[in-house]
Amino acid sequence: MAAAGPTAVLSSGKTMPLLGLGTWQSTSEQVINAVKTAIDAGYRHIDTAWVYGNEKDVGQAIKEKIAEGKMKREDVFVTTKLFYTFHRPERVREAMLKSIGRLGLDYVDLYLIHNPQCFKYGTSPAEVFKPSADLERLFDDVDHVDTWKAMESLVDEGLAKSIGVSNFNSQQLERLLQNCRIKPAVNQVELHPYLAQQDLVDFCKKNNILLTAFSALGAPARPKSFASGEEEPVLMEDPSVVAIAKKYGKSSAQVLLRYHLDRGVSAIPKSVTPSRIQANFDIMNFSLSKEDLASLGQLDRKLRYVGANLFVKHKFFPF
Ligand SMILES: NC(=O)c1ccc[n+]([C@@H]2O[C@H](COP(=O)([O-])OP(=O)(O)OC[C@H]3O[C@@H](n4cnc5c(N)ncnc54)[C@H](OP(=O)(O)O)[C@@H]3O)[C@@H](O)[C@H]2O)c1
């Protein structure tokens, strides 16, 4: 893969660019333009999911860039995710085929179990995310190991080049590691200086699982229902982050993204603003000193911006 920017070799043997573009919470037109801008800026890793409702747009933008001769299919790393209602092993392939159909691709580079918590087949995203006192009636309790075996079959079939998980804690990962044929290559979780999760970082490093940081900029536009409800400081305005950014002549966002690369972690900042998409990728010409990484490390306050209170009654709630 002719990737721009630093890459990691996954346990699957495949190469993944560490910096990717997130696509959650954008309109169709925004996603198409964002993905095309990102590819022009050098990104070769795009993150989407069934539940973002934009796989078709991501696929269209990629197709257009391939048609322009900007890159080949094998030059771009595409991640999508198994929605919560498809954990039953017999449903996994169905979900995968629908996702790659919408993307218009023959395979995805990475397929993730989006969440450990699962819901009954047929439950709509609207029902899953609608605040409701009796949400529990929609919960399912499929063992992750059973879902994982179906994920492994997707690799055998060539539909997914690598497989992984998202929002799993280390006990849930350990269980998969003990019972798998193919190791989870990636765990995608919320990660930033306010939620440093050093134990999880160490666990994943030890087990050769690459961590990908979502909401790396502090998810300033997260939906209210995803927020913790407590007063939440704005990560990009943190005085230490601002001071470090000033020192390097960079923006807070650039420092927050560089923090992950310097920690050996992947990051997938979302933006639909061309200047931000470009600036977020323009972080290859500096790295943070040990001292600055350590001072960012001291900001940890175990603050989870996204999903801290979602599905807490589910038996697989990971946090
Ligand atoms: N696996 C999961 O459960 C999960 C959960 C959440 C997110 N994700 C993935 O991770 C991606 C990123 O996370 P996220 O979307 O929650 O949040 P994020 O990347 O932390 O923040 C995105 C927000 O920051 C703004 N922004 C981007 N670059 C900026 C810059 N340089 N300066 C100032 N503001 C900037 C964006 O605005 P504009 O777009 O208006 O520029 C957008 O509102 C998602 O899009 C999705 O792909 C995965």
Side-chain angles (χ1 to χ4, degrees):
M1 173 187 290
T7 58
V9 177
L10 303 175
S11 61
S12 58
K14 305 293 179 195
T15 299
M16 175 171 134
L18 287 180
L19 195 63
L21 179 77
T23 62
W24 183 36
Q25 286 187 280
S26 325
T27 66
S28 181
E29 196 186 339
Q30 283 174 330
V31 170
I32 295 171
N33 288 330
V35 172
K36 291 202 291 190
T37 304
I39 289 169
D40 287 341
Y43 290 73
R44 291 294 181 271
H45 170 179
I46 312 292
D47 182 81
T48 180
W50 169 297
V51 72
Y52 303 163
N54 61 22
E55 290 170 314
K56 196 163 169 278
D57 309 314
V58 168
Q60 183 183 323
I62 289 173
K63 209 177 298 165
E64 285 182 33
K65 283 292 151 191
I66 293 173
E68 270 178 33
K70 181 82 190 169
M71 61 176 190
K72 300 195 186 99
R73 164 65 186 97
E74 57 271 28
D75 294 331
V76 62
F77 190 100
V78 181
T79 302
T80 193
K81 312 187 190 90
L82 179 81
F83 186 50
Y84 316 167
T85 55
F86 291 89
H87 281 218
R88 297 211 159 258
E90 67 276 17
R91 296 294 178 190
V92 170
R93 186 170 185 275
E94 172 190 340
M96 168 89 283
L97 290 177
K98 283 189 178 153
S99 282
I100 59 175
R102 280 188 293 260
L103 283 160
L105 302 175
D106 298 329
Y107 65 89
V108 292
D109 295 277
L110 179 63
Y111 198 43
L112 304 177
I113 300 180
H114 201 147
N115 235 41
Q117 297 106 309
C118 49
F119 284 73
K120 286 182 184 144
Y121 178 73
T123 310
S124 69
E127 289 172 296
V128 167
F129 293 108
K130 187 173 153 204
S132 141
D134 62 346
L135 191 65
E136 284 162 72
R137 76 193 150 78
L138 299 173
F139 288 172
D140 206 348
D141 63 351
V142 187
D143 188 333
H144 308 136
V145 172
D146 294 335
T147 309
W148 190 253
K149 288 188 193 315
M151 296 283 286
E152 291 175 327
S153 301
L154 302 178
V155 178
D156 298 337
E157 227 187 307
L159 296 172
K161 298 288 181 196
S162 302
I163 48 175
V165 295
S166 178
N167 298 302
F168 273 48
N169 64 31
S170 48
Q171 288 79 21
Q172 291 167 330
L173 286 170
E174 182 65 51
R175 210 160 153 263
L176 284 190
L177 288 169
Q178 296 298 329
N179 293 285
C180 68
R181 185 162 59 78
I182 301 175
K183 281 180 25 156
V186 166
N187 185 23
Q188 185 182 115
V189 297
E190 181 175 339
L191 211 58
H192 44 70
Y194 285 168
L195 185 68
Q197 306 205 68
Q198 192 57 50
D199 289 352
L200 185 63
V201 172
D202 293 341
F203 178 90
C204 287
K205 213 161 252 175
K206 188 169 139 226
N207 289 288
N208 195 18
I209 298 169
L210 183 74
L211 273 174
T212 295
F214 71 68
S215 304
L217 304 176
R222 65 201 173 280
K224 276 210 168 70
S225 57
F226 279 66
S228 70
E230 288 153 30
E231 199 188 322
E232 292 174 333
V234 179
L235 180 61
M236 282 189 270
E237 292 172 9
D238 183 282
S240 299
V241 175
V242 172
I244 292 172
K246 197 169 166 208
K247 183 169 137 188
Y248 289 85
K250 297 285 175 187
S251 68
S252 290
Q254 288 172 318
V255 163
L256 290 167
L257 296 172
R258 193 64 230 187
Y259 158 83
H260 292 296
L261 301 194
D262 289 337
R263 239 179 147 200
V265 166
S266 160
I268 45 169
K270 174 260 169 182
S271 179
V272 295
T273 312
S275 58
R276 288 175 173 173
I277 294 171
Q278 285 149 4
N280 291 348
F281 198 76
D282 185 20
I283 57 168
M284 309 311 171
N285 55 358
F286 80 112
S287 57
L288 298 170
S289 68
K290 262 193 185 148
E291 295 72 31
D292 291 327
L293 277 176
S295 48
L296 290 173
Q298 281 168 9
L299 301 181
D300 190 16
R301 49 174 89 195
K302 299 185 175 33
L303 170 64
R304 199 175 288 282
Y305 284 114
V306 172
N309 295 326
L310 274 187
F311 324 136
V312 280
K313 290 192 177 154
H314 199 289
K315 67 187 277 198
F316 299 139
F317 182 71
F319 311 130

